[in-house]
Amino acid sequence: MIAAVGVVAAVYAVWLYFGLLQTIVVSLILAGIYLILFHTRWCYVAIKTAPRDLRALWCYIKILWITRSLSRKNWTLPDIFHETVQRNPNKPCFLFQDEVWTFKEVEDYSLRVTAVLKKHGVKKGSIVGLLVNNSPQMPALWLGNARLGGVTPLINTNQRGNALLHSISVAKCDVLIFSDEYQSAMQDISSQLDPELKLFKFSHRPLNTTKAEKNASGDGIGDLTSLLEITPPAPWTLADADGFQGKLLYIYTSGTTGLPKAAVISNSRFVFMACGLHNMRLNSSDIVYCPLPLYHTAGGVVSVGQALVFGCTVVLKSKFSASQYFPDCAKYKATAAHYIGEMCRYVLATPPSPADKLHNVRVIYGNGLRPQIWTEFVTRFNIKYVTEFYGATEGNANIANTDGTPGAIGFLSRIFPKVYPIAIIKVDEETGEPIRDASGLCQFAQADEPGVFVGKISNNNPTREYLGYVDKAASDKKVVRDVFTHGDAAFISGDILVADELGYLYFRDRTGDTFRWRGENVSTSEVEAAISTVADHRDAVVYGVMVPNTEGRAGMCGIVDCDGTLDLQLLARDLARDLPPYARPVFLRVMASMDMTGTFKMKKTDLQKEGFNPSLVKDDKLYYLDLKQGKYLPLGSEEYEKILKGTIRL
Ligand SMILES: *[C@@H]1O[C@H](CO)[C@@H](O)[C@H](O)[C@H]1NC(C)=O
Ligand SMILES: *[C@@H]1O[C@H](CO)[C@@H](O)[C@H](O)[C@H]1NC(C)=O
Ligand SMILES: *[C@@H]1O[C@H](CO)[C@@H](O)[C@H](O)[C@H]1NC(C)=O
Ligand SMILES: *[C@@H]1O[C@H](CO)[C@@H](O)[C@H](O)[C@H]1NC(C)=O
Ligand SMILES: *[C@@H]1O[C@H](CO)[C@@H](O)[C@H](O)[C@H]1NC(C)=O
């Protein structure tokens, strides 16, 4: 207090004697001295992070600018795309196998879709589900529907049986278009489908084939492809939809547990996600390689959006192939490529080849490039920039690593934290509930302290709004109240992150993906990463299993060994070196292959249910870790009994 009065008095004296200019200079010097003396650390952090923050701020302003102007026009995606088409009608929009689809051709196709769907009664508010493989037609199908004001659920094509039925019914589809590959999957559930549901079968045919098969298939299912081929494009009009804030797509989040939930993607959110990435490193002359499925936000919004909103050329693939990743990039002259974490590991596991560097890819973007392989990946494949981003499909907490700091998924500004209100809050690790202070507000995690990532909700700002799921109850579960101030609300991501002193954020875990063993918390993703690193980047999935009469859960690892080359004793030795004793998997399950969800997240719940019981696990070999020998030994029914009785100690 006295010091402050002293400073003010000194500044006033200087002003009286020397005038205004000198006063400002002296004040700045004093302020500088004050900061350096009393907030040395803060100065250091501010200087180190200012370029990063200013760059990101600039990107953020550009995003707000674009979304603001589209919001004023109140356009929907087909209208925005129309403007892109006007700019470059004959530029390639999608490359797929040997097909080239220009912007004009994609729009024409979507206008045919509009004409056909309109004839079949689709109108504003109709729900037209797509169970369609990756192809240039896929985005054109939903664009055509959106022009009529319809919403399009993009159904995960791996879904069968109950899950498929659930996806169709939870979205309340009026019409469903499915690729002919899924005819038998549809037949399996046909008796349980709503008889009102109109079905159309779609077959992928390259653009210029005109041999429309006139014969009807006879089972009441319309042949959409033939209809499209014989129907002239609808005349172009602005979409008859709910404007920029209106619903565009439903995208299902692929949980590793439970049935899929349909998240709402509005036009504004679509643009925001595409725009967020675009501003990081891309420009409209980029050719983007996207081997991801188009029914998820990553492929279907972030990458496809580069074409629809910004006029980039996007290369689509029907299936990801590790050995084809960079050869494809070279073939299509891609300058940017999309990844998700597991893909990088598969690509890295391919044998080195001269083709590794013979491509023009300047930037790769995506999520989940693990810190353990980041540097190796960019060095081996000669990648200049990595844009790692993080964003939940259904949420509003979106961040990106804008400066390529290895391993970081984004950052929190230390200088202007208020500009983009996201935070890491402390939670109870067992229940996942936020820990609150005396006044009931959430507590924020300090640097290096793990916590759950949240994003403040404010509607009408496309970067901050939360649209949730189609299912209202599921939406409310992801909202936490009284976070920054009383009465506010935030989207709670469920992902545990850690911020370092400079504000860089690192992914730690998913809530629920830790288990307790010998009184320690074991993070499954950490153990998975360690195992995969010592075992030649094999697929490994770690989960906790209950052992009778034992506290907590014992770690179990399902690991893939398709050709019998996995050396278990070497694995035990390497893990003993890299992991603390409590984190080493107690049980191993060696599998010929692994069931994956569409995003290569491994399905843990089924494995967890079967546990280490040899009578439940029939096709795979089981092992347990013998502590004294430090070796994995086979686990048959005899050993299983002994473990239950406690005569084999774990
Ligand atoms: C279709 O035919 C037109 C005109 O013959 C041609 O310009 C275009 O490249 C063809 N498109 C594809 C995908 O082969
Ligand atoms: C249409 O007819 C042709 C020949 O008559 C046949 O080969 C083809 O399978 C039929 N297509 C359908 C969809 O039934
Ligand atoms: C955009 O258009 C929709 C439907 O025509 C309308 O309901 C909405 O109020 C409009 N929004 C703005 C901001 O003009
Ligand atoms: C735009 O993209 C092209 C193609 O990748 C690249 O050569 C060029 O340097 C980029 N321009 C800017 C300003 O980044
Ligand atoms: C593990 O998590 C629990 C629950 O949050 C916590 O109380 C405990 O301190 C943690 N233990 C260790 C060793 O970190």
Side-chain angles (χ1 to χ4, degrees):
M1 188 63 207
I2 295 169
V5 170
V7 168
V8 171
V11 170
Y12 190 61
V14 172
W15 187 13
L16 288 182
Y17 279 98
F18 300 100
L20 187 62
L21 190 65
Q22 286 85 341
T23 314
I24 291 172
V25 172
V26 169
S27 307
L28 284 178
I29 291 171
L30 283 177
I33 291 172
Y34 167 76
L35 280 176
I36 289 168
L37 283 183
F38 296 100
H39 295 277
T40 319
R41 212 55 210 168
W42 190 89
C43 293
Y44 164 77
V45 170
I47 290 166
K48 278 222 57 137
T49 61
R52 171 194 77 182
D53 289 14
L54 290 173
R55 220 179 92 84
L57 188 64
W58 175 233
C59 284
Y60 187 54
I61 291 170
K62 279 197 281 190
I63 294 171
L64 288 180
W65 178 263
I66 292 178
T67 49
R68 196 69 48 86
S69 88
L70 288 173
S71 178
R72 212 167 298 134
K73 291 174 180 158
N74 205 9
W75 278 355
T76 51
L77 240 279
D79 311 332
I80 297 166
F81 181 56
H82 184 66
E83 200 183 58
T84 313
V85 176
Q86 300 304 77
R87 277 203 305 270
N88 17 247
N90 298 318
K91 179 179 171 177
C93 175
F94 294 124
L95 307 179
F96 178 72
Q97 296 166 357
D98 292 322
E99 297 173 38
V100 179
W101 286 64
T102 64
F103 279 86
K104 186 87 182 58
E105 283 165 337
V106 173
E107 181 168 60
D108 276 351
Y109 197 89
S110 80
L111 287 163
R112 283 172 198 268
V113 175
T114 304
V116 170
L117 291 180
K118 190 169 183 183
K119 212 181 285 170
H120 285 82
V122 171
K123 54 179 192 299
K124 197 161 161 177
S126 295
I127 314 271
V128 180
L130 286 189
L131 176 69
V132 171
N133 282 333
N134 279 13
S135 59
Q137 288 98 325
M138 199 268 204
L141 285 169
W142 64 249
L143 277 171
N145 180 36
R147 193 173 289 113
L148 294 167
V151 183
T152 314
L154 304 180
I155 296 169
N156 182 327
T157 55
N158 292 311
Q159 230 109 65
R160 296 291 178 273
N162 246 345
L164 177 56
L165 194 62
H166 172 82
S167 297
I168 296 169
S169 56
V170 80
K172 305 195 173 64
C173 290
D174 302 307
V175 175
L176 182 80
I177 300 172
F178 63 91
S179 293
D180 45 10
E181 285 96 320
Y182 305 120
Q183 180 134 22
S184 75
M186 288 302 297
Q187 240 141 31
D188 292 346
I189 59 164
S190 60
S191 63
Q192 289 145 282
L193 285 174
D194 182 348
E196 299 283 293
L197 180 69
K198 264 192 206 144
L199 294 174
F200 285 101
K201 189 168 75 179
F202 170 80
S203 333
H204 173 86
R205 290 208 277 269
L207 194 55
N208 284 350
T209 38
T210 47
K211 52 168 175 45
E213 293 178 35
K214 297 274 170 8
N215 42 356
S217 43
D219 50 7
I221 299 177
D223 178 353
L224 183 68
T225 313
S226 307
L227 287 174
L228 290 172
E229 284 164 0
I230 57 171
T231 307
W236 182 84
T237 52
L238 277 178
D240 176 24
D242 280 335
F244 193 54
Q245 304 292 340
K247 293 178 191 173
L248 177 67
L249 303 171
Y250 293 157
I251 292 190
Y252 297 82
T253 57
S254 65
T256 42
T257 58
L259 288 168
K261 298 195 198 78
V264 179
I265 307 291
S266 63
N267 296 279
S268 63
R269 197 161 160 74
F270 187 102
V271 170
F272 166 61
M273 288 197 273
C275 193
L277 177 83
H278 190 80
N279 283 335
M280 298 304 171
R281 294 278 177 208
L282 300 183
N283 65 61
S284 56
S285 26
D286 273 309
I287 298 175
V288 175
Y289 179 66
C290 170
L292 274 60
L294 299 188
Y295 52 75
H296 279 315
T297 30
V301 175
V302 175
S303 276
V304 166
Q306 300 311 312
L308 303 188
V309 182
F310 296 100
C312 297
T313 299
V314 174
V315 182
L316 302 174
K317 279 285 281 184
S318 42
K319 220 167 178 232
F320 160 73
S321 152
S323 59
Q324 285 305 305
Y325 195 93
F326 283 106
D328 271 345
C329 288
K331 170 178 165 193
Y332 293 108
K333 304 196 168 50
T335 55
H338 196 162
Y339 64 82
I340 48 176
E342 301 302 317
M343 286 183 174
C344 297
R345 199 156 54 72
Y346 297 135
V347 174
L348 202 53
T350 59
S353 112
D356 289 354
K357 291 190 167 74
L358 292 178
H359 57 77
N360 304 324
V361 175
R362 173 170 63 88
V363 37
I364 58 171
Y365 63 89
N367 28 29
L369 181 53
R370 287 190 173 148
Q372 291 89 346
I373 60 168
W374 185 298
T375 314
E376 189 183 348
F377 194 90
V378 297
T379 316
R380 171 166 160 194
F381 297 105
N382 192 26
I383 305 295
K384 198 155 168 211
Y385 304 111
V386 179
T387 300
E388 168 84 15
F389 62 86
Y390 167 97
T393 298
E394 70 280 31
N396 67 353
N398 302 283
I399 45 174
N401 173 347
T402 50
D403 60 2
T405 304
I409 61 168
F411 68 91
L412 286 168
S413 173
R414 289 285 186 221
I415 318 175
F416 359 86
K418 289 272 159 52
V419 172
Y420 196 66
I422 47 179
I424 299 179
I425 59 169
K426 292 199 222 173
V427 295
D428 182 312
E429 270 180 48
E430 305 251 288
T431 63
E433 285 294 313
I435 298 174
R436 293 173 184 278
D437 64 13
S439 72
L441 290 180
C442 289
Q443 290 187 307
F444 300 109
Q446 301 301 310
D448 299 325
E449 193 180 17
V452 171
F453 187 58
V454 299
K456 185 171 173 166
I457 298 169
S458 72
N459 291 324
N460 302 324
N461 174 347
T463 67
R464 303 249 52 85
E465 70 191 336
Y466 168 63
L467 300 167
Y469 304 105
V470 175
D471 174 2
K472 181 85 176 45
S475 306
D476 292 343
K477 272 194 203 146
K478 300 286 263 183
V479 175
V480 52
R481 295 186 191 282
D482 299 334
V483 182
F484 298 88
T485 53
H486 287 283
D488 70 356
F491 165 75
I492 182 159
S493 69
D495 287 323
I496 299 186
L497 309 189
V498 185
D500 67 11
E501 192 190 15
L502 300 179
Y504 286 103
L505 297 170
Y506 298 88
F507 181 77
R508 183 59 76 80
D509 220 328
R510 198 55 224 158
T511 19
D513 276 1
T514 47
F515 60 84
R516 206 88 83 82
W517 182 240
R518 297 202 208 156
E520 297 282 356
N521 302 320
V522 182
S523 147
T524 56
S525 52
E526 253 174 65
V527 180
E528 279 161 10
I531 292 173
S532 170
T533 308
V534 299
D536 305 326
H537 306 296
R538 276 169 211 272
D539 285 324
V541 46
V542 172
Y543 44 98
V545 293
M546 305 265 232
V547 182
N549 306 318
T550 314
E551 276 291 315
R553 285 168 185 270
M556 179 151 186
C557 169
I559 185 163
V560 172
D561 183 34
C562 43
D563 51 2
T565 54
L566 179 67
D567 183 340
L568 291 181
Q569 304 328 330
L570 189 65
L571 181 72
R573 220 178 55 216
D574 288 344
L575 289 181
R577 186 192 62 211
D578 290 353
L579 287 174
Y582 60 84
R584 287 173 215 157
V586 175
F587 299 109
L588 281 188
R589 171 173 180 162
V590 179
M591 320 158 79
S593 69
M594 198 175 284
D595 232 12
M596 302 280 200
T597 61
T599 43
F600 303 99
K601 278 182 195 156
M602 294 148 201
K603 285 188 174 156
K604 289 191 187 185
T605 28
D606 297 343
L607 293 173
Q608 206 158 18
K609 260 184 235 149
E610 294 177 352
F612 61 101
N613 184 345
S615 62
L616 295 180
V617 181
K618 295 230 168 57
D619 301 330
D620 304 329
K621 283 196 200 102
L622 294 175
Y623 299 86
Y624 72 97
L625 182 62
D626 181 286
L627 282 181
K628 276 193 216 97
Q629 302 181 52
K631 275 186 178 172
Y632 283 108
L633 303 179
L635 194 166
S637 50
E638 196 181 312
E639 288 84 7
Y640 180 70
E641 289 304 322
K642 283 186 183 164
I643 291 170
L644 294 196
K645 282 204 208 94
T647 45
I648 292 183
R649 293 188 53 82
L650 300 170

